[in-house]
Amino acid sequence: MQDEKVVRTDDEWRSLLTPEQFRVLRRGGTEPAGTGEYTDLEKRGVYRCAGCGSELFSSADKFHSGSGWPSFTQPLKAEAIEEHEDRSFGMSRTEVTCARCSGHLGHVFADGPDPTGLRYCINSVALSFVPEEADEG
Ligand code: FE
């Protein structure tokens, strides 16, 4: 079921994720800027959560922010993500997590382009890109 929460133990997540995926998704880590495989990707498709497969972002909302991380103006659906105040590292930021598995995705900032003015700054390693299918027939 798409809307059921995914709850797993750390040991279960460790067996399902790469060490870097675990560090980011389950420990709130951040991949080094400019190292992610999706930062400059322009293909059409959907970005799913690398933890649970939930559809999170669309290539239609992706833009080049110059930050070194994949950036989107909005999620595919508002319900797909959750936002939380994050005061770690002496900063006040808004953390973005997957609504289905609670995995850490990145942060959202108010310096994005139209139409929302928002910049969802998301770790590539927290995402799994699914290219748009070619039209059949
Ligand atoms: Fe998820």
Side-chain angles (χ1 to χ4, degrees):
M1 302 292 269
Q2 179 75 16
D3 294 327
E4 273 182 25
K5 301 282 183 191
V6 172
V7 179
R8 298 185 194 283
T9 65
D10 278 352
D11 281 348
E12 288 171 333
W13 282 120
R14 276 198 187 87
S15 72
L16 293 167
L17 302 173
T18 68
E20 179 69 351
Q21 285 174 330
F22 184 86
R23 188 181 75 81
V24 171
L25 281 165
R26 309 314 310 178
R27 288 293 180 269
T30 300
E31 69 193 12
T35 65
E37 63 176 320
Y38 300 139
T39 303
D40 296 321
L41 188 68
E42 293 185 353
K43 288 182 181 159
R44 284 164 54 148
V46 169
Y47 293 84
R48 293 173 173 263
C49 174
C52 73
S54 180
E55 295 187 343
L56 299 178
F57 296 96
S58 166
S59 60
D61 300 311
K62 194 172 187 287
F63 68 99
H64 289 285
S65 66
S67 67
W69 292 280
S71 301
F72 305 86
T73 54
Q74 58 193 339
L76 204 50
K77 289 182 284 186
E79 318 87 80
I81 60 156
E82 290 177 351
E83 299 182 7
H84 316 267
E85 184 178 18
D86 174 6
R87 292 194 168 277
S88 63
F89 301 105
M91 295 179 272
S92 178
R93 297 181 295 172
T94 302
E95 180 191 18
V96 179
T97 58
C98 173
R100 193 165 172 219
C101 73
S102 304
H104 172 81
L105 303 172
H107 292 85
V108 58
F109 302 94
D111 58 7
D114 289 342
T116 63
L118 297 175
R119 171 172 61 97
Y120 286 83
C121 184
I122 306 298
N123 291 281
S124 290
V125 75
L127 300 172
S128 176
F129 178 70
V130 181
E132 198 168 280
E133 299 283 340
D135 288 339
E136 291 175 33

